[in-house]
Amino acid sequence: MPGENLLFVHMKDMSKIRNRKRWSQVMYMYYLLGYRHIMACKNEVLEKMKTIDALRGGFGLNIQEINYLLGESASAKSQNTFLLALDGDTDFSPGSVKILLDRMRDENVGAACGRIHPIGNGPMIWYQKFEYAIGHWLQKAAEHVFGCVLCSPGCFSLFRAAALMDTNVMKKYTPEPTEPSDHLQFDQGEDRWLCILLLQQGYRIEYAADAWTFAPEGFFEFFNQRCRWMPSTIANILDLLGSTSMTTKKNPNMSILYILFQWLLMLMTMLGPGTILMMIAGAVKLVFKMTLIESYLFATIPAMAFTVSCFWLTTRLQLIFAAILSIIYTFIMMVVFVGTIQTAAKGEHIPS
């Protein structure tokens, strides 16, 4: 490759390494950090031992001195060893990587992520560009200013080896899920889970640079992605909020005010669906002249039907049902828009 760089391709044997992205990450991190990195340190220490042995006239080092040299070498190298995590379809410039590296000057920075731009074609991409602007650009910028970024996405992030090798980071990243919440936290949102572990260990996550990634262009792929992201995000943030006392003591970037800010965002996330249903019910009541009970039934029955379908239907049928409901709700939201305008024009009060 250019610059005399070598490209290593690791093929995962499914009979030896578990399925899912997290176990692929565990595989290559343990190989790069637990084997390649340590072996490089051992070779460096062996050269030092030969030099010291010659200076001492053949009297070598004792085991304490060898362990000290090995630990010193590994510590120094790990502080200046970085892993760049990418998706296969991510596009970035060398300048973006330099910006991420520049953020790593502070040894308390465990990871740095880029501002992701979704690329592709079609209405789903148009929507995701708006969604990324709100959910990624503005929110991450706010987190960066108020406290610390909570998630460094795997599509374009730089991790410090020393942070990953620290106590309770990689070791806690490798357990098998045993509870339903574990599946959400560990395997559905592995990037956020790793970042939560870094934050709980006292590291900071920075936000800078730009990268481009292909976003889902079809509804089914998009819906599946969001089904993974939303529950796992809530599970991981609740885990972080549950360890407030420990995290605020170890991490100076996580102040009590910042934790309160995250609690406020979580509360708004929980209240969001109910608020939307109330808006729909109010607008439907106004436009179609329904009673209050009828309008609420109209707003909630589709959501309840989809919830029930998740227990009984196959994944494909759930996706088809979700697509149909999305089309229906598109027209309903148009009704909400019209109803909101009518309410504002007439100065009426919607009971909801």
Side-chain angles (χ1 to χ4, degrees):
M1 292 183 67
E4 298 184 0
N5 291 303
L6 299 177
L7 176 65
F8 294 91
V9 179
H10 296 155
M11 307 301 290
K12 186 168 76 170
D13 187 344
M14 298 296 290
S15 64
K16 297 179 180 179
I17 304 295
R18 295 183 182 90
N19 193 14
R20 295 189 179 277
K21 175 184 171 183
R22 179 167 68 103
W23 295 109
S24 299
Q25 291 177 329
V26 170
M27 178 186 74
Y28 75 70
M29 285 183 182
Y30 267 88
Y31 171 72
L32 293 173
L33 303 178
Y35 176 72
R36 291 284 299 273
H37 179 67
I38 297 300
M39 288 302 296
C41 295
K42 284 183 178 179
N43 293 333
E44 184 178 295
V45 169
L46 285 173
E47 293 299 321
K48 289 183 179 179
M49 287 173 62
K50 290 178 183 178
T51 304
I52 295 173
D53 186 64
L55 292 173
R56 291 183 177 181
F59 292 94
L61 287 75
N62 59 41
I63 188 65
Q64 288 83 6
E65 291 174 317
I66 294 173
N67 286 336
Y68 174 78
L69 283 176
L70 183 59
E72 189 180 53
S73 175
S75 177
K77 277 185 173 294
S78 60
Q79 283 293 347
N80 297 293
T81 299
F82 306 99
L83 295 181
L84 180 63
L86 300 168
D87 280 352
D89 57 4
T90 300
D91 185 19
F92 63 97
S93 65
S96 295
V97 180
K98 289 181 180 179
I99 292 173
L100 294 183
L101 280 170
D102 186 63
R103 296 288 182 177
M104 292 293 185
R105 292 178 183 273
D106 184 355
E107 292 186 356
N108 291 322
V109 176
C113 62
R115 183 172 63 173
I116 307 302
H117 299 259
I119 53 178
N121 298 298
M124 294 304 301
I125 300 298
W126 306 340
Y127 168 74
Q128 287 175 89
K129 286 184 177 181
F130 171 78
E131 184 188 39
Y132 271 63
I134 300 297
H136 289 250
W137 305 352
L138 294 181
Q139 185 170 339
K140 275 187 168 48
E143 290 175 348
H144 178 79
V145 172
F146 296 151
C148 180
V149 175
L150 298 186
C151 179
S152 187
C155 57
F156 185 65
S157 294
L158 193 68
F159 294 91
R160 188 187 300 275
L164 295 174
M165 297 167 70
D166 205 345
T167 308
N168 292 330
V169 178
M170 280 306 296
K171 185 177 180 180
K172 289 187 68 175
Y173 189 62
T174 57
E176 292 185 60
T178 56
E179 301 291 335
S181 59
D182 294 343
H183 286 278
L184 287 177
Q185 192 170 2
F186 299 168
D187 292 327
Q188 300 292 325
E190 60 284 330
D191 297 331
R192 189 175 288 273
W193 169 231
L194 180 59
C195 292
I196 294 297
L197 294 175
L198 290 173
L199 294 173
Q200 290 174 338
Q201 200 60 26
Y203 291 99
R204 177 176 174 82
I205 299 174
E206 290 280 345
Y207 175 63
D210 290 271
W212 292 260
T213 187
F214 281 92
E217 296 184 357
F219 176 82
F220 287 2
E221 185 183 0
F222 170 80
F223 194 82
N224 271 328
Q225 186 185 67
R226 292 309 184 273
C227 283
R228 289 188 294 107
W229 283 5
M230 288 300 295
S232 64
T233 297
I234 293 173
N236 278 296
I237 292 180
L238 285 176
D239 179 76
L240 178 67
L241 296 176
S243 62
T244 295
S245 178
M246 178 195 73
T247 305
T248 51
K249 288 179 181 177
K250 297 192 71 172
N251 196 326
N253 303 293
M254 307 291 289
S255 65
I256 295 297
L257 285 176
Y258 183 63
I259 294 295
L260 290 175
F261 168 67
Q262 291 299 330
W263 271 115
L264 179 62
L265 291 180
M266 180 61 67
L267 179 64
M268 293 170 64
T269 300
M270 296 296 185
L271 295 178
T275 304
I276 292 171
L277 289 177
M278 289 176 64
M279 288 180 60
I280 292 174
V284 167
K285 177 181 180 297
L286 183 66
V287 174
F288 295 113
K289 308 301 180 183
M290 292 183 179
T291 65
L292 188 61
I293 294 177
E294 290 173 343
S295 64
Y296 270 99
L297 288 174
F298 182 89
T300 56
I301 284 177
M304 293 170 62
F306 181 74
T307 302
V308 173
S309 73
C310 292
F311 290 95
W312 300 101
L313 299 182
T314 63
T315 301
R316 178 165 180 78
L317 289 177
Q318 289 177 34
L319 290 172
I320 294 173
F321 191 22
I324 294 171
L325 287 179
S326 297
I327 295 172
I328 293 173
Y329 272 110
T330 299
F331 291 102
I332 291 176
M333 292 311 293
M334 292 174 64
V335 172
V336 171
F337 180 69
V338 172
T340 303
I341 294 176
Q342 286 186 359
T343 303
K346 296 179 180 179
E348 295 181 2
H349 172 68
I350 299 176
S352 60

